[in-house]
């Protein structure tokens, strides 16, 4: 008694402070039901695409030892220099990194498990990647990629295959307005000759280089070509082109790739400035770009990375792959209005009047589900029986084709009501023993 009096007189106990709201990490998004159905649809298309070309799924951990990316991506890259979430595991002192991309991890796994022992592999992955970038439209700190890796193949037909795959994906999804740019980075000797010419050129134009580029001049001059600095564009345009340094073998690889693409009606443009942000590429590189997403217009990119497997400690083997940003393609699908209406939650919504009607409602739902029908049973938020009117509203909002109603009358006569919610609005009464036949008939006749 005295306790409760104390409670009332103590303002803090009477009005305890409301717990502060918790929020997610900046740049890392929740995917909510309003959008998740688009992602599920896209994921189904991606899995089916991979299957169409004989690619198998691989899932690597989100955390890797930091060395995997230092070696796999290269130290003088945007990702390694400034975008990685790296930290020390305080429990054992290990240096770990949240994966910023998929290729290094996939190659690490292939080497570790000797996956190429009996020949080449065609693999794909879907999952989250992490980069500490400034969050903006199309650029997040946790984002998702679908990626393809074809390991152990050297011929240009595989470069072509993975590009054809991406073209097929856009066609399957119905997205338009993506343009393909390709380039060849040649082999190491050719790149070295080009690099020497490039350094010479940049040194004579040193006054025009920004701070980033001056630093890169010594470490990775090729990356200067990637600059987005408008005041450097003119100078960069006139720099020596790698393509002019390619030997016969590299040119023939590039020519064969183009021939296969043309024969399959894939439209592309050669962009001699395309170098890609990662260190491990050689020969073919490509990007799919749109003008409809503002500054973040690169939807997918990839290329050949023949030196990587050896660099990651494996037996030398050629490889190529590509990765697509899922957020950007979802954004494009929305932009182009090719996303169907929100998918329905169920085929049948079951209404009941509480009490003893709950049991037949729950049993009917399970019988229908066993036959492949998607069913939701009404559940009230407060434990009280909702009025049929309010249940009917929920049924309608669920997108169900039919409402199945079990009230007191139905309970007594061992029957149920089936109401067409989408077309006629008609409602019929049936005996419970005919449940499956009647519901399935109704669904089938409505889809005709
Ligand atoms: P960008 O030039 O836009 O930074 P990138 O060259 O760093 O792209 P890749 O490493 O080639 O990108 O990754 C492949 C794809 O992943 C990109 O084409 C893009 O669609 C997507 N992507 C990359 N970084 C992000 C990010 N921070 N947020 C969302 N999507 C991203
Ligand atoms: Mg980037």
């Amino acid at each position: 008694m005295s306790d409760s009096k104390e409670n009332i007189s103590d303002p803090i106990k009477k009005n305890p402070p409301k717990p502060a709201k918790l929020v997610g990490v900046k740049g890392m998004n929740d995917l909510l039901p309003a959008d998740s159905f688009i992602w599920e649809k896209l994921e189904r298309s991606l899995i089916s695409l991979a299957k169409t070309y004989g690619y198998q799924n691989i899932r690597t951990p989100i955390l890797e030892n930091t060395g995997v990316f230092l070696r796999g991506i290269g130290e003088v890259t945007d990702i390694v220099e400034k975008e990685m979430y790296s930290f020390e595991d305080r429990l054992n002192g290990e240096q770990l990194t949240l994966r910023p991309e998929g290729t290094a991890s996939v190659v690490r796994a292939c080497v570790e498990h000797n996956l190429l022992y009996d020949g080449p592999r065609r693999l794909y992955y879907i999952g989250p990647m992490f980069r500490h970038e400034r969050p903006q439209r199309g650029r997040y700190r946790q984002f998702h990629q679908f990626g393809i890796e074809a390991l152990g193949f050297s011929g240009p037909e595989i470069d072509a295959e993975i590009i054809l795959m991406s073209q097929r994906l856009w066609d399957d999804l119905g997205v338009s307005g993506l343009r393909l740019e390709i380039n060849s980075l040649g082999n190491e000797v050719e790149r070295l000759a080009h690099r020497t010419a490039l350094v010479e050129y940049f040194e004579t134009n040193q006054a025009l280089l920004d701070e980033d580029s001056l630093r890169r001049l010594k470490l990775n001059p090729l990356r200067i070509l990637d600059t987005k600095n408008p005041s450097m564009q003119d100078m960069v345009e006139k720099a020596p082109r790698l393509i002019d340094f390619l030997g016969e073998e590299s040119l023939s690889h590039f020519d064969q790739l183009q021939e296969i693409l043309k024969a399959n009606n894939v439209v592309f443009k050669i962009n001699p400035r395309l170098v890609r942000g990662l260190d491990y590429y050689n020969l073919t590189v490509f990007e799919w770009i749109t003008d409809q997403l503002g500054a973040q217009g690169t939807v997918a990119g990839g290329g050949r990375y023949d030196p990587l497997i050896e660099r990651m400690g494996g037996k030398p083997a050629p490889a190529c792959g590509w990765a697509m940003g899922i957020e950007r393609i979802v954004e494009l699908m929305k932009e182009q209005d090719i996303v169907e209406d929100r998918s329905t939650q169920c085929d049948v919504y079951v209404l009941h009047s509480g009490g003893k009607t709950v049991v037949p409602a729950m049993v009917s739902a399970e019988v229908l589900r066993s036959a492949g029908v998607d069913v939701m049973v009404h559940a009230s938020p407060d434990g009280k029986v909702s009025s049929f009117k309010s249940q009917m509203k929920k049924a309608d909002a669920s997108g169900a084709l039919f409402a199945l109603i079990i009230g007191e009358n139905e309970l007594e006569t061992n029957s149920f009501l089936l109401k067409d919610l989408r077309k006629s609005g008609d409602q019929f009464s049936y005996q419970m023993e005919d449940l499956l036949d009647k519901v399935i008939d109704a669904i089938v006749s409505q889809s005709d």
Side-chain angles (χ1 to χ4, degrees):
M1 200 55 196
S2 66
D3 256 12
S4 68
K5 252 190 190 154
E6 247 175 52
N7 268 347
I8 290 165
S9 59
D10 180 340
I12 293 187
K13 282 191 183 154
K14 194 172 139 203
N15 285 320
K18 231 174 123 191
K21 235 193 218 160
L22 295 166
V23 295
V25 177
K26 190 175 163 199
M28 303 200 179
N29 302 316
D30 297 308
L31 178 60
L32 305 176
D35 271 352
S36 59
F37 78 99
I38 308 175
W39 282 59
E40 286 183 333
K41 177 179 154 36
L42 176 58
E43 281 159 6
R44 281 192 294 272
S45 301
L46 294 170
I47 293 169
S48 142
L49 176 79
K51 202 166 166 295
T52 303
Y53 287 80
Y55 284 66
Q56 296 172 303
N57 189 215
I58 182 164
R59 302 182 192 201
T60 61
I62 284 164
L63 274 180
E64 292 277 353
N65 291 307
T66 302
V68 169
F69 303 115
L70 295 187
R71 226 197 289 172
I73 298 174
E75 309 221 5
V76 192
T77 54
D78 277 353
I79 295 180
V80 170
E81 280 183 329
K82 48 191 183 204
E83 296 173 357
M84 291 209 304
Y85 279 93
S86 296
F87 57 92
E88 182 185 299
D89 181 339
R90 67 186 164 83
L91 298 179
N92 59 12
E94 282 175 352
Q95 292 299 322
L96 303 175
T97 295
L98 282 167
R99 64 178 185 200
E101 57 103 54
T103 304
S105 310
V106 168
V107 170
R108 193 271 307 142
C110 284
V111 171
E112 185 170 341
H113 304 290
N114 201 16
L115 276 196
L116 301 183
Y117 79 100
D118 61 349
R121 286 274 183 175
R122 288 174 162 95
L123 302 172
Y124 79 93
Y125 58 84
I126 307 177
M129 305 295 162
F130 304 83
R131 297 185 193 175
H132 198 106
E133 303 193 73
R134 190 169 68 78
Q136 53 195 292
R137 183 185 184 199
R139 194 175 290 289
Y140 311 103
R141 290 181 172 174
Q142 174 173 321
F143 62 100
H144 297 74
Q145 282 184 343
F146 165 73
I148 283 294
E149 314 291 356
L151 305 131
F153 303 95
S154 61
E157 70 275 15
I158 291 294
D159 309 32
E161 173 175 293
I162 64 172
I163 294 177
L164 288 168
M165 235 174 145
S166 46
Q167 173 73 65
R168 182 176 297 278
L169 178 62
W170 317 140
D171 295 345
D172 285 353
L173 295 174
V175 290
S176 53
L178 285 167
R179 55 174 199 279
L180 172 64
E181 294 189 353
I182 64 172
N183 190 22
S184 174
L185 302 182
N187 64 31
E188 225 177 324
V189 177
E190 292 151 2
R191 274 201 304 281
L192 206 64
H194 172 246
R195 186 189 156 117
T196 310
L198 205 57
V199 170
E200 232 165 71
Y201 174 81
F202 285 139
E203 274 169 353
T204 42
N205 287 285
Q206 203 150 1
L208 295 170
L209 298 183
D210 61 16
E211 206 180 303
D212 240 15
S213 304
L214 279 172
R215 201 171 40 82
R216 289 195 164 134
L217 184 55
K218 290 282 168 293
L219 298 165
N220 193 349
L222 210 63
R223 288 297 317 282
I224 300 178
L225 299 175
D226 226 10
T227 181
K228 298 204 165 95
N229 186 343
S231 72
M232 287 173 54
Q233 290 310 317
D234 216 35
M235 183 269 296
V236 160
E237 276 302 313
K238 296 192 189 107
R241 298 168 359 145
L242 176 53
I243 204 142
D244 299 325
F245 289 78
L246 296 190
E248 208 179 303
E249 222 176 290
S250 296
L251 278 176
S252 142
H253 188 104
F254 198 38
D255 285 345
Q256 283 183 59
L257 164 69
Q258 292 176 51
E259 206 180 307
I260 301 173
L261 293 180
K262 281 182 196 154
N264 284 286
N265 305 314
V266 178
V267 180
F268 60 85
K269 197 186 109 191
I270 297 175
N271 173 2
R273 302 283 161 227
L274 182 66
V275 294
R276 311 257 317 123
L278 309 175
D279 243 11
Y280 48 57
Y281 288 108
N282 71 313
L283 292 172
T284 311
V285 287
F286 64 94
E287 279 185 352
W288 285 96
I289 305 159
T290 173
D291 296 323
Q292 289 171 36
L293 294 178
Q296 271 54 254
T298 310
V299 170
R304 184 161 274 288
Y305 51 91
D306 295 335
L308 186 63
I309 297 177
E310 184 178 16
R311 204 204 281 185
M312 297 291 282
K315 231 171 77 194
C320 63
W322 62 282
M324 178 194 85
I326 295 191
E327 281 80 358
R328 291 188 194 173
I329 203 73
V330 166
E331 188 72 18
L332 195 59
M333 288 164 75
K334 287 194 202 163
E335 194 73 32
Q336 297 185 354
D337 224 3
I338 52 173
V339 181
E340 294 157 26
D341 276 350
R342 213 199 159 317
S343 61
T344 55
Q345 276 178 281
C346 59
D347 306 314
V348 173
Y349 194 98
V350 179
L351 292 70
H352 57 81
S353 49
K356 290 209 159 101
T357 65
V358 172
V359 175
M362 296 296 283
V363 171
S364 316
E366 284 301 308
V367 169
L368 293 174
R369 288 172 185 137
S370 297
V373 182
D374 296 340
V375 185
M376 286 173 78
V377 179
H378 184 81
S380 73
D382 54 9
K384 292 184 198 139
V385 180
S386 319
S387 70
F388 274 123
K389 196 175 155 201
S390 94
Q391 293 191 45
M392 203 51 99
K393 268 196 196 152
K394 295 275 184 228
D396 208 39
S398 74
L401 303 173
F402 293 93
L404 191 154
I405 305 151
I406 303 176
E408 299 292 341
N409 282 342
E410 287 68 38
L411 184 68
E412 247 162 59
T413 55
N414 199 29
S415 63
F416 65 94
L417 298 171
L418 194 64
K419 183 178 166 67
D420 181 338
L421 295 176
R422 300 296 148 203
K423 289 198 171 159
S424 64
D426 291 346
Q427 178 174 303
F428 294 100
S429 172
Y430 300 109
Q431 281 309 111
M432 205 42 113
E433 67 212 42
D434 298 330
L435 174 75
L436 211 48
D437 284 351
K438 293 298 178 193
V439 171
I440 287 178
D441 276 359
I443 292 175
V444 169
S445 71
Q446 209 188 67
S447 64
D448 285 345

